[in-house]
Amino acid sequence: TLKGITNVDKASQVKMKAAIAASLGAGVSAADIVFKKVHFPVKAQMKLEGKTMDDVTKDKPAFEASFKKGMAADLNVAAGDITIKEIKAAPARRRGLLAAGVSVDFSVDNAADTTAATALAAKVSSAAASPTSNLAMETATTPAVAVAPTFALEVEMEVSTADSASVASALSADTTSAA
């Protein structure tokens, strides 16, 4: 994750590569860095009341397909842009009197900049707020946002250099600031 960048154009890519090269050291130059993917994935967790883990595990591929189809329709993205990270039992509310449901951790990889990511995050929240959303209809549940949508710039890259051990050690750091 790189902090302080909201749009990735040619000028910001040059700036990012220079900052990454400087943080890696080990004789790495900006020319040694190739960006494979630059994006702002939106991550969230949705609670779906009306389904149990037993329901999900009976046909997990069908449940995942329904979730992706409904969420994709609500967000106006392709179902392939949605990645389900984890499905787990949601905690029960009010001393277990209400059905717990399931929680789905997911990400949407469709935003090229923070403006698009902000709009996508708002759509995720809207999908949860509507009992007639495509997500609600496809999964036959009542959706609610369990963890608010967030996003940050992520860069997948390759670094070509003779000192790969030093680069690998330096890349283990989680964030680099390119301010």
Side-chain angles (χ1 to χ4, degrees):
T1 304
L2 294 161
K3 297 178 180 177
I5 297 177
T6 60
N7 187 21
V8 183
D9 56 15
K10 294 287 184 194
S12 62
Q13 284 189 24
V14 169
K15 186 177 175 183
M16 289 165 51
K17 287 179 180 183
I20 292 167
S23 71
L24 292 175
V28 175
S29 73
D32 297 329
I33 299 169
V34 175
F35 289 159
K36 296 296 186 181
K37 186 174 187 179
V38 179
H39 57 126
F40 291 82
V42 175
K43 299 174 184 180
Q45 183 183 88
M46 197 70 74
K47 180 178 179 180
L48 304 175
E49 292 182 2
K51 292 280 184 200
T52 65
M53 279 307 295
D54 286 343
D55 297 331
V56 171
T57 55
K58 283 179 188 169
D59 193 351
K60 189 174 179 183
F63 174 80
E64 289 181 347
S66 295
F67 181 90
K68 288 180 178 184
K69 181 179 178 184
M71 185 58 72
D74 287 331
L75 303 179
N76 199 28
V77 301
D81 291 339
I82 298 171
T83 302
I84 296 175
K85 306 288 186 182
E86 182 180 24
I87 303 170
K88 59 188 173 193
R93 296 187 332 200
R94 289 195 269 165
R95 297 182 213 157
L97 298 176
L98 296 177
V102 294
S103 291
V104 180
D105 290 318
F106 67 99
S107 65
V108 184
D109 189 14
N110 184 277
D113 57 34
T114 57
T115 301
T118 299
L120 203 52
K123 287 182 181 180
V124 168
S125 296
S126 294
S130 172
T132 59
S133 69
N134 291 296
L135 178 62
M137 297 303 169
E138 287 293 331
T139 59
T141 63
T142 303
V145 174
V147 175
T150 61
F151 58 87
L153 173 62
E154 291 184 8
V155 177
E156 294 173 23
M157 66 184 151
E158 287 184 3
V159 180
S160 300
T161 181
D163 190 2
S164 59
S166 294
V167 170
S169 175
L171 283 174
S172 67
D174 191 37
T175 61
T176 299
S177 179

